């Protein structure tokens, strides 16, 4: 079971010592595309938690006048009154599973997108700078390090433009304890601090619906940042946020397609009805996130969002898959108690061997996704509510399964998240 840049407006100065680049650009954009939304918001539930050089691609940025100070001059006029081509959107986590689709959607709407990326991006850093520039075609690519605030601020300052909106698609690579706090909290906070320093007045955060019931480190890290983001808006009326909490992604449910296609049984925990979700495609989620940049009904809201159709249990997902491959359903039911035993044993070993901390956390992550639904959690009833979970988009899980059966999982690799 799978759980889990040449134009006449360009001036370029290069330092042979640090290989940093500065560019001034004229405007160049695509027409804005309107996408219908399904407005929905829930109040935030209070939870106590504890817890280099850059390069810009050839797409053109609108030049502004830099002040003598370390920050950049910004206009007092709200960015929401501007044409999309004059709105600078800084996207962090731009090469991730969802981030690259967000960059594509924002550029198609005509926004001036600045995509921050690592010099070696992708799963295990397999993508070079040229690979990243090609992948994020249409955006201005800024190679930097979101885990280092000083480096990130210097990179953004070097762009020579103010920032209107920050969109964060950052997420821990594997859910490990340290990685969760380094990425889901620290790096995301660095993005907020750097964005605010250079004028950002709106922050769109890609979070996760599972933070409603925080039992894992990455959930606690996300919640800690969410709380600080909300506090920032409370203390500054000129600053707003949109927190997007999606349900399951298609790729997290596609791990068994090839197995079933080859005649293997579909593996599920318990009776296959322990949990359910309303999975959403990367394109639909990216569209919803892009909506959050200008849509005023999404200001200062926590926005849970799922895909179209009814909530599906693992049993129903398996039955759908067998129907598509034209085979008689064959299931392998695994007692959830096996995971409980494994987690208890790993927790014991961590006391003796601290280096096993992440292994124990991975076990807890697996257990969580095997039993907890990715739907709205109602604290009053103590149950998940499928009907209350909003739907958005047109892509269905069945369509995804059909595509994977024909084309395989190319582009949908789980990478370090396979353990989930």
């Amino acid at each position: 079971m799978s759980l889990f840049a040449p134009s006449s407006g360009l001036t370029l100065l290069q330092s042979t010592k640090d290989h940093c680049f500065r560019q001034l650009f004229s405007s160049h954009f695509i027409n804005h595309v309107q996408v219908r939304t399904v407005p929905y918001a829930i109040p935030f539930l209070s939870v106590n938690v504890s817890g280099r050089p850059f390069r810009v691609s050839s797409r053109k940025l609108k030049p502004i006048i830099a002040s003598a100070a370390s920050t950049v001059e910004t206009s007092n006029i709200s960015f929401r009154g501007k044409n999309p081509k004059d709105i600078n959107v800084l996207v962090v986590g731009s090469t991730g599973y969802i981030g690259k689709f967000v960059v594509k959607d924002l550029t198609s709407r005509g926004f001036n997108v600045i995509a921050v990326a690592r010099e070696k991006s992708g799963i295990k850093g397999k993508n070079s700078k040229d690979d990243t520039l090609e992948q994020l075609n249409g955006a201005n690519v800024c190679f930097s390090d979101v885990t280092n605030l000083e480096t990130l601020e210097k990179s953004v300052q070097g762009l020579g433009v103010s920032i209107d909106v920050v969109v964060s698609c950052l997420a821990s690579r594997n859910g490990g304890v340290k990685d969760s706090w380094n990425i889901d909290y620290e790096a995301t906070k660095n993005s907020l601090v750097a964005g605010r320093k250079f004028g950002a007045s709106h922050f769109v955060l890609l979070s996760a619906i599972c933070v409603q019931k925080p039992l894992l480190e990455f959930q606690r890290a996300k919640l800690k940042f969410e709380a600080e983001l909300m506090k920032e808006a409370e203390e500054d009326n000129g600053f707003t946020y949109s927190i997007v909490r999606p349900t399951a992604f298609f790729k997290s449910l596609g791990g068994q397609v090839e197995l079933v296609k080859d005649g293997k049984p579909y593996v599920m925990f318990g009776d296959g009805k322990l949990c359910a979700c309303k999975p959403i495609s990367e394109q639909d989620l990216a569209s919803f996130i892009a909506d959050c940049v200008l849509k005023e009904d999404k200001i200062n809201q926590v926005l849970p969002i799922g895909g179209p159709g009814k909530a599906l249990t693992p049993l129903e997902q398996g039955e759908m898959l067998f129907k598509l491959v034209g085979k008689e359903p064959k299931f392998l039911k695994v007692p959830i108690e096996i995971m409980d035993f494994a987690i208890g044993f790993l927790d014991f070993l961590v006391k003796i061997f601290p280096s096993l901390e992440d292994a124990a956390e991975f076990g807890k992550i697996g257990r969580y996704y095997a039993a907890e639904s990715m739907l709205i959690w109602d604290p009053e009833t103590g149950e998940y509510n499928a009907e209350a979970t909003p739907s958005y988009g047109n892509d269905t899980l069945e369509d995804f399964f059909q595509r994977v059966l024909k084309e395989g999982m190319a582009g949908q690799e789980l990478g370090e998240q396979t353990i989930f």
Side-chain angles (χ1 to χ4, degrees), residues 354-392:
S355 61
L356 293 176
E357 179 182 54
D358 278 355
E361 187 68 11
F362 296 154
K364 294 173 184 176
I365 291 171
R367 172 66 170 78
Y368 191 99
Y369 284 107
E372 300 292 339
S373 294
M374 298 298 106
L375 301 168
I376 292 291
W377 170 257
D378 188 336
E380 293 186 1
T381 64
E383 297 179 346
Y384 289 101
N385 191 329
E387 295 301 320
T389 306
S391 295
Y392 180 93

Side-chain angles (χ1 to χ4, degrees), residues 89-381:
V89 182
L90 185 74
V91 181
V92 293
S94 63
T95 60
Y97 177 59
I98 301 301
K100 56 191 176 187
F101 285 93
V102 171
V103 169
K104 182 178 181 180
D105 196 294
L106 287 170
T107 55
S108 74
R109 300 187 187 205
F111 290 102
N112 189 24
V113 180
I114 304 164
V116 178
R118 291 173 291 161
E119 293 189 356
K120 290 187 177 181
S121 63
I123 298 173
K124 297 183 179 180
K126 68 177 182 179
N127 294 334
S128 67
K129 287 184 176 181
D130 288 339
D131 291 331
T132 300
L133 288 170
E134 182 178 354
Q135 182 184 75
L136 302 178
N137 183 42
N140 307 286
V141 178
C142 173
F143 290 101
S144 191
D145 183 1
V146 293
T147 65
N148 186 305
L149 179 58
E150 182 179 1
T151 298
L152 181 60
E153 288 184 335
K154 287 181 179 179
S155 296
V156 177
Q157 180 182 9
L159 295 169
V161 299
S162 62
I163 302 300
D164 296 300
V165 182
V166 176
V167 176
S168 174
C169 297
L170 292 170
S172 167
R173 288 174 284 268
N174 56 30
V177 177
K178 291 182 179 179
D179 195 57
S180 293
W181 287 98
N182 287 341
I183 305 300
D184 291 308
Y185 176 68
E186 292 291 348
T188 310
K189 183 176 180 179
N190 289 345
S191 303
L192 172 63
V193 173
R196 292 287 282 148
K197 183 175 182 179
F198 296 99
S201 58
H202 187 54
F203 194 103
V204 181
L205 174 68
L206 172 59
S207 185
I209 202 167
C210 61
V211 301
Q212 302 169 111
K213 200 173 179 182
L215 303 178
L216 307 169
E217 287 304 310
F218 83 86
Q219 296 167 337
R220 299 184 184 104
K222 286 181 180 293
L223 278 176
K224 182 174 175 61
F225 178 75
E226 283 190 12
E228 294 185 11
L229 182 61
M230 293 177 178
K231 184 177 180 181
E232 184 83 8
E234 290 175 358
E235 296 177 348
D236 184 352
N237 292 331
F239 177 75
T240 57
Y241 64 84
S242 298
I243 297 174
V244 181
R245 292 179 176 176
T247 58
F249 300 155
F250 283 178
K251 76 170 183 177
S252 65
L253 305 176
Q256 297 194 69
V257 175
E258 289 299 326
L259 293 174
V260 170
K261 183 179 179 180
D262 292 340
K264 304 284 192 311
Y266 186 92
V267 182
M268 59 189 184
F269 288 93
D271 62 359
K273 301 178 182 179
L274 291 174
C275 58
C277 65
K278 298 178 73 172
I280 187 169
S281 73
E282 56 270 35
Q283 293 97 333
D284 285 340
L285 178 56
S287 178
F288 185 83
I289 291 173
D291 287 345
C292 292
V293 172
L294 289 178
K295 296 285 186 177
E296 296 194 3
D297 62 342
K298 292 174 174 52
I299 292 175
N300 295 345
Q301 301 287 340
V302 175
L303 302 157
I305 193 68
K310 67 184 290 290
L312 300 169
T313 64
L315 177 62
E316 291 171 317
Q317 295 166 32
E319 292 173 337
M320 178 190 295
L321 194 49
F322 281 111
K323 181 179 179 180
L324 290 173
V325 298
K327 297 181 182 293
E328 191 69 25
K330 183 168 53 176
F331 295 96
L332 177 59
K333 300 179 180 180
V334 180
I336 194 70
E337 290 78 13
I338 290 179
M339 298 194 75
D340 294 331
F341 174 79
I343 292 169
F345 182 63
L346 286 170
D347 279 341
F348 170 75
L349 289 180
V350 169
K351 297 177 182 178
I352 305 172
F353 307 104
S355 61
L356 293 176
E357 179 182 54
D358 278 355
E361 187 68 11
F362 296 154
K364 294 173 184 176
I365 291 171
R367 172 66 170 78
Y368 191 99
Y369 284 107
E372 300 292 339
S373 294
M374 298 298 106
L375 301 168
I376 292 291
W377 170 257
D378 188 336
E380 293 186 1
T381 64

